[in-house]
Amino acid sequence: MVGEEKTSVKKRLSKSSKHAEEKEEGQRDCTEESQETPSNGRIDLKQLIAKKIQLTAEAEELKPFFMKEVGSHFDDFVTNLIEKSASLDNGGCALTSFSVLEGENSHRAKDLRAPPEHGKIFVIRRSLLDELFEVDHIRTIYHMFIALLILFILSTLVVDYIDEGRLVLEFNLMSYAFGKLTVAMWTWCTMFLCTLTVPYFLFQHWARGYHRSSHPVVHSVLHCFLFVVFQIGVLGLGPLYVVLVYTLPPASRFIVILEQIRFIMKAHSFVRENVPRVLNSAKEKSSTVPVPTVNQYLYFLFAPTLIYRDNYPRTPIVRWGYVAMQFAQVFGCFFYVYYVFERLCTPLFRNIKQEPFSARVLVLCIFNSILPAVLILFLSFFAFLHCWLNAFAEMLRFGDRMFYKDWWNSTSYANYYRTWNVVVHDWLYYYAYKDFLWFFTKKFRSAAMLAVFAVSAVVHEYALAVCLNFFYPVLFVLFMFFGMAFNFIANDSRKRPIWNVLMWTSLFAGNGVLLCFYSQEWYARQHCPLKNPTFLDYIRPRSWTCRYVF
């Protein structure tokens, strides 16, 4: 395949060179003609300028064709070279061997994914936005967002000055959202220490006792049961208890719950990747037990990936200026989201009139919520998937920075789900989808996809329900029903630009629906509290019946 790509590239280059030669000859003829028609011994400048304009127009016409050719072939060509020169050994280290992918030309892994038995390949590569920001045109879009933030700040200051007669810089909304942060921090420290010690020593005890045990099945079942108890009881119910008992505000709850989910996924990956190695070692009757070191596990807990490896590709140095810039952008995004809520969301929901819940009120709310919802979507993506993960990757010299792909170019929801969050998608692909197919055979691919969607939808809804302190399964319905439908309707065979437009339209509308419904429910529960709420009151929508005046 590499030979074919090289041949095609050579053909295109030869064609372009021939075309360039023809253009040069034409330009030379035009110049000679213009020089052969002097007027009073001088070159006709008007004719020369006209010829130059004509050539410029023809070059501009050829430019899109050339860029399209480069964009469609160069990336596949380079990706194929990387695939042919990278594979994984049993320990997961990157090698320069061609043996793994020989004979697999008909099934190229475009996202550098090795065959399932080898797992994900990690290679040194930059994040896509870091590469795009080197282009002046793309960096200008970044500057536009900064300008919009400045306008939000000025708007807030001017309105406060006009209404209050003074500059109000209290950030009440942010201070409320991040309240009781110390409780969230010691809860995180407890979760981290538990995740660092319990899974590692459970696995170590099982691995070293598996060879010597006279009943290895019973030995394995016992340790598996203890690990499940730890995942559900300690990492699952423990942080949930703290969040509910101490009544943490929304942002502090998000910190605890998202870290809870991350630690559960990390612990599962560590055990899932190392158990087969111990079983193979016992099958081969090896004298050494392949147990990773504590330092390797500790590095994995902080590494910006959910796939465990003993070693990862590392960059040579740490650019501390780059780290500071990423964290500065994270804090900038926090303030950006604050001003979006302050200027676009709070006035919208505070000014909802006292009228029955109706289709008219709902439609107006959804369309007014689309703009702030889209801004929050972009800011959340940039702050976490780009800045936050790149900052930790740089500090740890973690080489593989492909935390996302060009999801904005997706023409199908199937591609969007794969490229929006590569870190989580890899975990779901290898430990949910692939393991489901391995357990139930490959005949149930649709069932495996449905199971992955269900797991993802339930986890997302769990996080929102706990963090907002009410159950309102709008995200679950959109994810499981509309998301599944779009996944099959707008599949990978859709390549025309109109599908990208439809994808963006539905994505904007969906985020507007989420912001509208959850914000209405939040304000309804704040201003229509119940004295003795029952369990049904936590799951029954309050915004449908609440009548409140601000």
Side-chain angles (χ1 to χ4, degrees):
M1 178 170 288
V2 176
E4 295 177 357
E5 291 286 347
K6 289 181 178 178
T7 304
S8 60
V9 170
K10 289 180 179 179
K11 289 181 179 179
R12 287 192 295 272
L13 290 176
S14 62
K15 289 181 179 179
S16 61
S17 62
K18 290 180 180 178
H19 191 75
E21 291 176 358
E22 293 175 359
K23 283 292 179 183
E24 289 178 358
E25 292 177 0
Q27 185 176 1
R28 193 182 304 114
D29 293 340
C30 292
T31 305
E32 291 174 356
E33 290 176 2
S34 63
Q35 291 178 351
E36 290 175 356
T37 57
S39 175
N40 298 326
R42 297 180 180 179
I43 299 176
D44 191 347
L45 293 179
K46 292 184 179 180
Q47 186 177 2
L48 183 60
I49 293 174
K51 291 293 184 181
K52 184 177 181 180
I53 294 174
Q54 181 181 357
L55 290 173
T56 303
E58 292 177 357
E60 289 294 329
E61 291 177 358
L62 289 174
K63 186 192 295 185
F65 174 80
F66 175 75
M67 295 302 295
K68 183 178 180 181
E69 287 293 307
V70 171
S72 61
H73 295 285
F74 182 73
D75 184 62
D76 290 341
F77 175 71
V78 175
T79 300
N80 188 54
L81 289 179
I82 297 175
E83 292 171 1
K84 280 293 185 178
S85 62
S87 63
L88 289 178
D89 61 357
N90 291 331
C93 301
L95 302 176
T96 56
S97 170
F98 292 88
S99 58
V100 175
L101 296 179
E102 284 182 354
E104 299 292 335
N105 292 342
S106 59
H107 302 284
R108 280 190 310 177
K110 293 185 178 179
D111 55 352
L112 298 181
R113 181 178 293 128
E117 63 271 14
H118 295 282
K120 178 180 173 64
I121 295 176
F122 289 90
V123 297
I124 295 180
R125 50 191 164 185
R126 301 169 63 192
S127 290
L128 185 56
L129 284 183
D130 280 340
E131 297 177 346
L132 292 177
F133 283 157
E134 294 181 355
V135 181
D136 292 338
H137 304 293
I138 304 299
R139 193 165 58 248
T140 300
I141 300 177
Y142 174 75
H143 296 161
M144 292 166 60
F145 275 87
I146 296 177
L148 187 59
L149 172 60
I150 295 173
L151 290 177
F152 273 130
I153 296 174
L154 292 177
S155 174
T156 304
L157 294 177
V158 170
V159 171
D160 288 341
Y161 183 78
I162 293 175
D163 292 341
E164 304 289 338
R166 60 187 178 90
L167 295 179
V168 181
L169 299 173
E170 297 177 353
F171 299 103
N172 293 329
L173 181 61
M174 186 173 294
S175 60
Y176 162 74
F178 286 93
K180 299 182 180 180
L181 193 59
T182 54
V183 178
M185 289 298 101
W186 68 253
T187 304
W188 180 91
C189 292
T190 305
M191 287 192 297
F192 169 74
L193 292 176
C194 291
T195 309
L196 177 63
T197 55
V198 177
Y200 181 82
F201 288 109
L202 269 179
F203 172 78
Q204 185 184 54
H205 187 268
W206 168 81
R208 293 179 176 174
Y210 183 81
H211 294 74
R212 302 188 301 266
S213 177
S214 57
H215 301 284
V217 176
V218 177
H219 180 77
S220 300
V221 170
L222 176 61
H223 284 78
C224 179
F225 173 76
L226 293 176
F227 178 71
V228 172
V229 169
F230 167 76
Q231 291 279 74
I232 298 176
V234 178
L235 286 184
L237 299 179
L240 182 61
Y241 174 81
V242 173
V243 163
L244 297 179
V245 170
Y246 287 88
T247 59
L248 298 184
S252 298
R253 290 193 178 201
F254 267 108
I255 293 174
V256 174
I257 297 303
L258 293 182
E259 284 297 285
Q260 172 200 46
I261 296 171
R262 185 178 73 91
F263 283 133
I264 290 175
M265 297 170 77
K266 290 263 189 180
H268 178 85
S269 176
F270 173 76
V271 174
R272 173 63 181 82
E273 291 290 342
N274 286 286
V275 165
R277 299 167 60 186
V278 176
L279 297 178
N280 290 333
S281 175
K283 184 178 180 181
E284 297 172 357
K285 298 180 179 180
S286 175
S287 58
T288 60
V289 181
V291 178
T293 64
V294 177
N295 289 335
Q296 290 173 326
Y297 181 51
L298 178 62
Y299 181 89
F300 169 64
L301 290 181
F302 285 100
T305 179
L306 297 174
I307 307 295
Y308 175 80
R309 295 288 183 268
D310 287 341
N311 299 288
Y312 299 93
R314 307 284 291 274
T315 55
I317 59 173
V318 177
R319 299 170 296 171
W320 291 107
Y322 178 85
V323 174
M325 183 62 183
Q326 299 309 310
F327 281 126
Q329 291 180 129
V330 170
F331 286 109
C333 289
F334 281 154
F335 283 99
Y336 210 142
V337 172
Y338 164 77
Y339 282 110
V340 168
F341 272 103
E342 190 73 21
R343 301 308 308 155
L344 298 179
C345 296
T346 303
L348 171 64
F349 296 104
R350 278 181 178 171
N351 293 328
I352 294 178
K353 295 181 180 180
Q354 186 179 4
E355 55 182 316
F357 185 85
S358 62
R360 174 182 174 276
V361 174
L362 186 60
V363 170
L364 291 176
C365 175
I366 291 174
F367 280 100
N368 288 327
S369 301
I370 288 178
L371 176 59
V374 170
L375 290 175
I376 294 172
L377 172 70
F378 289 155
L379 292 170
S380 302
F381 159 75
F382 183 72
F384 178 70
L385 289 175
H386 180 73
C387 298
W388 186 263
L389 295 183
N390 268 293
F392 275 88
E394 187 67 28
M395 289 189 294
L396 296 171
R397 297 195 295 115
F398 186 83
D400 196 333
R401 312 287 174 88
M402 193 185 69
F403 309 125
Y404 54 89
K405 299 180 185 176
D406 57 336
W407 57 271
W408 47 85
N409 291 326
S410 298
T411 55
S412 68
Y413 267 88
N415 185 71
Y416 169 75
Y417 292 140
R418 289 194 299 266
T419 55
W420 159 259
N421 189 341
V422 174
V423 178
V424 173
H425 175 265
D426 285 338
W427 193 95
L428 291 173
Y429 177 81
Y430 288 110
Y431 303 141
Y433 180 76
K434 279 306 200 182
D435 285 354
F436 185 96
L437 292 181
W438 172 80
F439 191 80
F440 292 101
T441 72
K442 296 183 178 181
K443 298 179 181 179
F444 301 95
R445 294 186 180 274
S446 298
M449 185 180 298
L450 180 62
V452 172
F453 265 89
V455 170
S456 182
V458 168
V459 172
H460 279 79
E461 192 59 49
Y462 160 77
L464 280 178
V466 174
C467 296
L468 298 178
N469 202 30
F470 58 81
F471 178 72
Y472 199 22
V474 180
L475 178 62
F476 182 85
V477 172
L478 291 180
F479 209 97
M480 281 300 297
F481 295 97
F482 293 97
M484 280 291 294
F486 282 131
N487 184 68
F488 288 104
I489 295 174
N491 50 45
D492 290 334
S493 63
R494 315 295 187 181
K495 299 296 184 182
R496 298 178 61 186
I498 184 62
W499 290 100
N500 182 253
V501 175
L502 294 177
M503 194 276 294
W504 275 111
T505 304
S506 58
L507 190 63
F508 287 171
N511 281 276
V513 168
L514 292 176
L515 182 62
C516 171
F517 274 85
Y518 284 111
S519 297
Q520 279 189 338
E521 186 67 18
W522 171 268
Y523 275 98
R525 290 179 179 270
Q526 295 297 314
H527 296 276
C528 294
L530 300 179
K531 294 182 178 180
N532 297 310
T534 63
F535 176 75
L536 291 178
D537 292 325
Y538 285 101
I539 63 176
R540 184 184 296 118
R542 194 82 50 84
S543 58
W544 294 5
T545 57
C546 176
R547 303 291 179 268
Y548 50 90
V549 180
F550 300 101

